[in-house]
């Protein structure tokens, strides 16, 4: 029996990054895709507790013509909810058995450092880890809708094969970020310490004259010289692999 691979993203089922991912690993297992029907970036691990969801089977040219499984099982669905909704939906309604691997991505744009806390792509694999499924998030630090993901093919295939064969520790998932100017080097990293600044942009509505707001801002790396971080690696053309854990317990000595 082939491994079962469950894929989702936060860019939508139509995104080139996801289509590239499917093509990269199409021969490595049976595939079920359940992705948002439109962009859901920044949704982290949010799920729809008060809103009903819809599900629709999709046909993607060159990947999964409905009714044809010439290269093995591959089904693609869109869901009206968040990335985590998609994973929960697929796990409970679409998967014939427990998946052997969960993959988030390939995301258009980086999810290194503290950005991983906001990322729907990372939210997917954290949910996978909570379900006891080895999980990997892949991101390319290029927001272009037509970004070139082909250079990532060897790394994606190598990592998928390795995790399928060896698994990951309980509650651990991998966050992989590849820079746009990648020099083919790969480095295990820790998450850089950083934060977002000037996050709210106030503007005036031309009709009503009342203020409205855009969530915006810029990321500041608080330790730019630390060479063991994902942010440093990305800035120097190196792909970063950061192990994350769904167990958020901090190891501190705190007494009351």
């Amino acid at each position: 029996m082939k491994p079962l691979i469950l894929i989702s993203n936060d860019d939508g089922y139509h995104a080139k990054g996801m289509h590239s991912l499917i093509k990269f690993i199409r021969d490595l297992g049976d595939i079920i895709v359940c992705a948002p029907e439109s962009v859901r970036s920044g949704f982290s691990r949010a799920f729809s507790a008060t809103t009903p969801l819809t599900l629709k089977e999709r046909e993607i040219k060159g990947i999964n013509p409905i009714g044809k499984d010439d290269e093995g099982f591959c089904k693609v669905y869109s869901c009206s909810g968040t990335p985590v909704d998609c994973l929960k939906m697929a796990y409970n309604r679409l998967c014939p058995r427990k998946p052997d691997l969960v993959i988030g991505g390939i995301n258009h744009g980086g999810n290194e450092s503290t950005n991983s806390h906001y990322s729907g792509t990372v939210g997917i694999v954290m949910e996978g880890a909570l379900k006891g499924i080895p999980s990997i998030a892949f991101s390319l630090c290029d927001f272009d809708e037509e970004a070139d993901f082909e250079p990532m093919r060897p790394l994606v295939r190598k990592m998928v094969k390795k995790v399928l064969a060896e698994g990951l520790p309980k509650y651990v998932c991998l966050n992989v970020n590849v820079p746009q100017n990648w020099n083919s080097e790969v480095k295990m990293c820790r998450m850089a310490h950083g934060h977002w600044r000037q996050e709210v942009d106030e503007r005036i509505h031309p009709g009503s004259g009342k203020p409205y707001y855009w969530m915006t801002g810029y990321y500041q790396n608080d330790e730019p010289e630390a060479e063991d971080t994902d942010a440093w690696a990305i800035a120097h053309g190196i792909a970063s692999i950061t192990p994350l854990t769904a167990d958020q317990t901090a190891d501190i000595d705190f007494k009351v």
Side-chain angles (χ1 to χ4, degrees):
M1 182 182 295
K2 284 187 173 184
L4 179 61
I5 302 172
L6 175 55
I7 297 174
S8 191
N9 71 357
D10 66 5
D11 292 314
Y13 76 94
H14 56 278
K16 182 180 178 181
M18 169 172 281
H19 298 180
S20 297
L21 170 64
I22 297 169
K23 292 175 181 177
F24 294 168
I25 64 170
R26 188 69 175 80
D27 63 319
L28 299 182
D30 294 329
I31 295 174
I32 291 180
V33 176
C34 188
E37 61 186 15
S38 59
V39 176
R40 298 286 190 275
S41 296
F43 273 68
S44 186
R45 295 199 58 236
F47 71 98
S48 301
T50 60
T51 305
L53 303 175
T54 58
L55 188 67
K56 183 176 181 180
E57 187 173 1
R58 298 286 185 173
E59 180 175 340
I60 299 175
K61 185 177 181 181
I63 292 178
N64 72 322
I66 292 175
K68 295 183 180 180
D69 293 315
D70 297 335
E71 296 178 303
F73 182 85
C74 181
K75 296 290 184 181
V76 179
Y77 299 85
S78 67
C79 175
S80 58
T82 70
V84 168
D85 286 333
C86 293
L87 196 75
K88 289 179 179 290
M89 181 73 75
Y91 185 82
N92 287 278
R93 288 290 181 267
L94 302 176
C95 292
R97 60 187 186 277
K98 184 175 181 178
D100 298 285
L101 178 66
V102 166
I103 304 179
I106 300 171
N107 190 66
H108 292 247
N111 284 310
E112 73 277 11
S113 185
T114 51
N115 298 318
S116 64
H117 288 288
Y118 305 107
S119 166
T121 303
V122 176
I124 290 161
V125 298
M126 293 294 280
E127 182 71 18
L130 281 174
K131 287 178 163 50
I133 307 170
S135 304
I136 313 172
F138 289 106
S139 300
L140 176 65
C141 300
D142 186 344
F143 290 97
D144 191 336
E145 290 184 0
E146 296 301 322
D148 181 12
F149 295 89
E150 187 60 32
M152 291 182 64
R153 181 189 291 266
L155 177 61
V156 169
R157 288 184 60 84
K158 183 176 182 179
M159 291 193 65
V160 168
K161 289 179 180 180
K162 182 177 179 64
V163 174
L164 281 173
E166 301 176 10
L168 290 170
K170 185 178 181 179
Y171 290 154
V172 171
C173 56
L174 300 178
N175 182 24
V176 182
N177 288 278
V178 175
Q180 191 172 358
N181 60 335
W182 187 28
N183 62 15
S184 297
E185 186 178 349
V186 181
K187 183 177 182 180
M188 291 294 295
C189 302
R190 67 175 175 86
M191 186 181 77
H193 297 169
H195 65 283
W196 281 81
R197 303 187 62 184
Q198 299 179 2
E199 297 177 275
V200 181
D201 181 20
E202 179 178 320
R203 303 181 185 183
I204 301 299
H205 192 283
S208 67
K210 295 181 179 180
Y212 68 97
Y213 305 90
W214 280 104
M215 300 304 294
T216 179
Y218 67 92
Y219 168 78
Q220 176 178 303
N221 184 355
D222 294 338
E223 44 179 356
E225 304 305 318
E227 298 183 8
D228 61 340
T229 71
D230 51 6
W232 185 92
I234 296 300
H236 289 79
I238 302 169
S240 65
I241 303 176
T242 305
L244 305 176
T245 178
D247 181 353
Q248 295 181 323
T249 308
D251 184 16
I252 65 171
D253 183 15
F254 182 81
K255 298 178 180 177
V256 178

